[in-house]
Amino acid sequence: MRVEETLSISRDDLDDDDYGMLMPVVEELGSDAGSLPDKLVYQQLGKGRTELCMDGQPYFDKDHPAYDSNGELFSYANFGTIQVGEQAQPWWYVFDTSRALKPIIFQPRRPFSIVAKTQLTAGNVFNDDEFVWGTDGRCAAGFGFHMFAYCTNRPPTADVFNSIVGAMASQCRRDGSPYGVSPKLVVGPKNMEGPLRTLLKSTLVPVLAPDGKTWVPGTNVWADYCDLLVADRLPQAVGN
């Protein structure tokens, strides 16, 4: 993908800019280029429930072909939706980022640069009385191995996370030896920050007492199990 953006400002307007409002607009060109990798990667995540990956299935799907510990084919789901009695949440993601090939790949092809045509001898300034700035670069984002990624709209509870860890770990090679997939990073939108921090960072969590009615403080077995990334660019809408 090639991205190109230009900005032109009248020389007279720049001379009369007593409040310094125009130059920050120029600086925003650089900011936009710097944030593009995040934008492309999160857009790619959003396509994961419909766009196909290397096995011809949607990247997040409920029937990827995989091998179990007996070397037998089974349908592996890296996509979890709400169960009976659960309330749907915004989509959140679990990744094993420890591998050489990542779940989502960003590939820079030509670094972004800002070119300023502001010399008084430049044609646009001399002839048109106009300053011009532009950015240009090439990059792309795409899917890596779906085996290292999981997407869900289920509540981020200990039981749900336990099921995700178990599912990811169930994938094996053809000879039945485990891949050793283990979550290293959880990514969620801003409005999921509280529940996700409770899941992964709190040392104490409410647990049900033996009487089955009373909630008491208990140890959180998932505390600091993996890293947490709260992403402003992820949609906050409830996943459907």
Side-chain angles (χ1 to χ4, degrees):
M1 167 189 271
R2 180 181 179 183
V3 180
E4 183 178 347
E5 187 175 0
T6 59
L7 170 69
S8 59
I9 297 176
S10 162
R11 183 180 179 186
D12 292 339
D13 288 342
L14 193 61
D15 289 341
D16 296 339
D17 184 23
D18 295 332
Y19 298 99
M21 299 295 292
L22 296 178
M23 289 311 297
V25 177
V26 176
E27 294 173 1
E28 194 65 23
L29 283 176
S31 177
D32 287 346
S35 64
L36 185 62
D38 279 354
K39 180 179 179 181
L40 292 180
V41 166
Y42 289 122
Q43 283 179 345
Q44 193 70 17
L45 274 182
K47 299 174 184 176
R49 296 183 294 279
T50 56
E51 194 165 294
L52 305 185
C53 65
M54 63 182 184
D55 67 353
Q57 305 280 102
Y59 183 71
F60 295 115
D61 197 39
K62 293 191 174 183
D63 59 353
H64 286 291
Y67 291 93
D68 62 19
S69 58
N70 295 316
E72 301 290 336
L73 275 172
F74 77 104
S75 292
Y76 169 68
N78 69 338
F79 180 51
T81 52
I82 55 171
Q83 307 297 305
V84 175
E86 293 179 344
Q87 185 173 356
Q89 306 294 309
W91 296 109
W92 53 286
Y93 305 86
V94 182
F95 300 108
D96 183 349
T97 55
S98 64
R99 309 304 178 106
L101 183 59
K102 304 304 180 184
I104 301 291
I105 300 170
F106 175 77
Q107 183 182 48
R109 294 179 178 171
R110 184 172 66 242
F112 281 86
S113 60
I114 298 179
V115 176
K117 298 184 69 175
T118 56
Q119 300 88 349
L120 297 181
T121 55
N124 54 287
V125 179
F126 187 81
N127 296 322
D128 302 324
D129 202 31
E130 188 175 64
F131 293 125
V132 177
W133 292 263
T135 60
D136 179 74
R138 294 182 65 236
C139 58
F143 296 125
F145 274 9
H146 63 268
M147 296 87 86
F148 304 151
Y150 197 100
C151 170
T152 185
N153 66 348
R154 298 183 67 188
T157 64
D159 288 342
V160 169
F161 191 65
N162 183 65
S163 69
I164 293 172
V165 172
M168 296 179 76
S170 70
Q171 303 170 91
C172 298
R173 297 176 175 85
R174 292 193 180 196
D175 63 1
S177 60
Y179 272 119
V181 180
S182 180
K184 298 296 186 290
L185 178 68
V186 170
V187 181
K190 190 66 178 177
N191 60 340
M192 292 281 289
E193 182 171 6
L196 289 174
R197 284 195 178 279
T198 299
L199 172 65
L200 296 171
K201 300 301 178 182
S202 297
T203 55
L204 295 177
V205 292
V207 296
L208 201 59
D211 63 8
K213 301 177 181 179
T214 309
W215 292 92
V216 297
T219 301
N220 181 13
V221 298
W222 299 114
D224 295 322
Y225 179 80
C226 62
D227 292 330
L228 170 64
L229 174 62
V230 177
D232 292 337
R233 289 187 177 273
L234 281 178
Q236 297 188 19
V238 171
N240 295 312

